[in-house]
Amino acid sequence: MAFRRRAKSHPLFSQEFLIHNHADIGFCLVLCVLIALMFEATAKTAFLFILPQYNISVPTADGELVHYRYGLKDLITILFYVFIAIILHMVLQDYVLDKINRRLHLSKVKHSKFNESGQLVAFHLTSMIWCLYVVVTEGYLSNPRRWWENYPHVFLPFQVKFFYLCQLAYWLHALPELYFQKVRKEEIPRHLRYISLYLMHIAGAYLLNLTRLGLVLLLLQYFAEFLFHMARLFYFTDENNEKLFNAWAVVFVVTRLFTLTLSVLVVGFGLARVENQAFDPEKGNFNTLLSRMGVLSLVCLSQAWMMWHFIHFQLRRWREYWNEQSARQRAATLTKQQSKPVKRESGYHENGVVKAENGTSPRTKKLKSP
């Protein structure tokens, strides 16, 4: 017990030390792995952290191609790139976002949201370009039939597997960042919801060998999210700038429709026509009716949940807009009423009686008798 008390009071175990130095700790761990590459005795162990594992040479007409499958050693590679993501997160925060925040003088709430959107804009833009490059070079856009033909897609090209490992590493690194960035307790459930959704869909596509469909759906999702966080950044710099929100609203709805359509096309129709329909986890085959219904149910529920939150967000925006407009109209009518001159009779009033200019009451006219 005494050792535990001393450990908690030690500066290495304090909360402030971990928050301000977590990137330095990650950098030291990454540096140790890189130094291990220099020595023959530790090089093989270091490669477990850096490079994807389970490579297989596939003979082709032009020679041999190296493909990869997934396994438990992928967790070691993901852990290494979690530390890489933490370091990049801190570099972007310290050298870009904090300098912009000092110029904008935002409130605490807007400050945290600006940091969140700034980090996600950089990530979504990088992932969107990377995902588009992979989809185009692998020929998934030119031939959509490849999304379900020859299922299961157990053997992956290097760039496809490395992309999925980096995606999983980024969203896993977002969990400890909630602690390091001191996110408010009210905001933590919202962060956990969308982090869990991303991890569930990316890991599901990776483990169920639906990586080709997953790449296309991620490309659509990241484009919509990139527009949303760009709109938030422009809004924080100028609150009258809401044009990007309107563009994002259109793209968001179209993305939901495309996601549902492509999922039903590939899982509901494409995989249903594949000859190899059996449940064989050792061969990576999950093409059964129950599995397809489970995947489609998960996709439909997630899209419906996102649309429900989107509708509530738009209704709140419209309500705030109309309340602001009505308040402006009331203020305009009040200023007009105050600026109008008040018409009075000649003279002035005293005790409810109109006095003439010389102070005498005006003489009442006598009515002539008929």
Side-chain angles (χ1 to χ4, degrees):
M1 293 296 292
F3 172 76
R4 289 183 181 178
R5 291 194 198 99
R6 286 196 299 270
K8 288 182 180 179
S9 61
H10 197 275
L12 287 176
F13 295 90
S14 64
Q15 181 182 8
E16 293 297 324
F17 178 83
L18 290 174
I19 288 174
H20 294 292
N21 299 281
H22 65 280
D24 296 334
I25 297 171
F27 179 77
C28 291
L29 293 173
V30 171
L31 189 61
C32 290
V33 174
L34 295 177
I35 292 174
L37 291 173
M38 302 170 61
F39 304 97
E40 186 177 355
T42 56
K44 290 183 179 180
T45 306
F47 277 121
L48 289 175
F49 291 89
I50 298 174
L51 294 177
Q53 302 301 309
Y54 304 103
N55 55 322
I56 296 173
S57 298
V58 179
T60 59
D62 299 330
E64 288 187 350
L65 286 177
V66 179
H67 284 74
Y68 296 82
R69 56 185 179 86
Y70 63 77
L72 289 176
K73 292 181 181 178
D74 291 340
L75 297 176
I76 301 174
T77 310
I78 291 172
L79 178 63
F80 176 77
Y81 286 100
V82 165
F83 289 113
I84 294 289
I86 289 174
I87 295 169
L88 294 177
H89 185 110
M90 204 52 151
V91 169
L92 181 62
Q93 184 68 44
D94 288 346
Y95 292 97
V96 179
L97 296 177
D98 285 348
K99 291 182 179 180
I100 299 174
N101 272 318
R102 292 191 196 100
R103 295 181 180 180
L104 295 177
H105 303 289
L106 299 174
S107 61
K108 288 185 178 180
V109 177
K110 289 184 177 181
H111 179 83
S112 62
K113 290 184 177 181
F114 183 88
N115 289 336
E116 177 194 356
S117 293
Q119 294 284 348
L120 289 175
V121 159
F123 169 72
H124 288 313
L125 180 61
T126 305
S127 298
M128 189 173 58
I129 296 172
W130 188 5
C131 187
L132 180 62
Y133 174 79
V134 173
V135 168
V136 171
T137 54
E138 293 296 330
Y140 298 153
L141 286 183
S142 59
N143 186 11
R145 287 180 177 272
R146 295 187 62 191
W147 299 351
W148 64 83
E149 284 182 346
N150 300 321
Y151 181 85
H153 307 132
V154 179
F155 302 113
L156 305 175
F158 172 82
Q159 59 181 355
V160 174
K161 178 168 182 174
F162 190 61
F163 176 81
Y164 271 94
L165 294 180
C166 290
Q167 293 296 311
L168 291 171
Y170 180 85
W171 291 111
L172 284 173
H173 113 280
L175 294 174
E177 284 294 342
L178 298 178
Y179 174 77
F180 296 142
Q181 297 295 325
K182 295 183 179 180
V183 177
R184 295 185 305 162
K185 291 183 179 180
E186 312 89 67
E187 293 289 324
I188 288 178
R190 179 180 65 86
H191 286 271
L192 290 177
R193 278 195 297 268
Y194 75 76
I195 291 171
S196 302
L197 276 175
Y198 274 112
L199 285 173
M200 189 188 307
H201 284 76
I202 295 171
Y206 184 65
L207 296 175
L208 296 177
N209 295 312
L210 295 170
T211 51
R212 299 178 183 182
L213 175 64
L215 284 171
V216 178
L217 297 185
L218 274 178
L219 179 61
L220 295 173
Q221 176 64 21
Y222 284 162
F223 178 65
E225 289 296 303
F226 171 75
L227 276 181
F228 172 72
H229 290 289
M230 279 296 295
R232 277 218 302 187
L233 291 180
F234 279 107
Y235 176 76
F236 290 141
T237 55
D238 183 9
E239 293 187 356
N240 296 321
N241 194 346
E242 295 187 359
K243 293 180 180 179
L244 267 180
F245 277 116
N246 299 327
W248 163 76
V250 176
V251 172
F252 182 88
V253 175
V254 173
T255 301
R256 304 282 74 77
L257 293 175
F258 268 94
T259 301
L260 288 173
T261 305
L262 294 177
S263 299
V264 172
L265 174 66
V266 175
V267 180
F269 293 98
L271 292 180
R273 296 180 180 181
V274 175
E275 295 180 358
N276 190 9
Q277 296 193 20
F279 183 76
D280 192 355
E282 292 183 358
K283 295 182 179 180
N285 190 359
F286 302 93
N287 189 14
T288 61
L289 179 61
L290 185 62
S291 299
R292 293 197 301 268
M293 292 298 293
V295 170
L296 286 177
S297 300
L298 178 63
V299 172
C300 291
L301 286 174
S302 62
Q303 300 307 304
W305 180 80
M306 293 171 73
M307 277 300 299
W308 183 73
H309 276 272
F310 171 77
I311 291 170
H312 274 260
F313 174 75
Q314 292 297 327
L315 289 176
R316 188 174 70 249
R317 277 190 64 213
W318 289 338
R319 196 182 301 117
E320 292 174 355
Y321 174 76
W322 289 114
N323 289 339
E324 185 179 353
Q325 292 296 319
S326 60
R328 287 180 180 178
Q329 288 178 359
R330 286 196 298 269
T333 53
L334 285 174
T335 53
K336 285 182 180 179
Q337 290 176 359
Q338 291 175 359
S339 62
K340 285 183 180 180
V342 180
K343 292 183 178 180
R344 293 188 177 185
E345 299 180 28
S346 59
Y348 64 95
H349 291 74
E350 184 177 326
N351 296 328
V353 180
V354 180
K355 297 291 184 178
E357 296 295 334
N358 55 1
T360 59
S361 299
R363 190 176 295 177
T364 56
K365 294 183 179 179
K366 294 182 179 180
L367 295 175
K368 295 181 179 179
S369 59

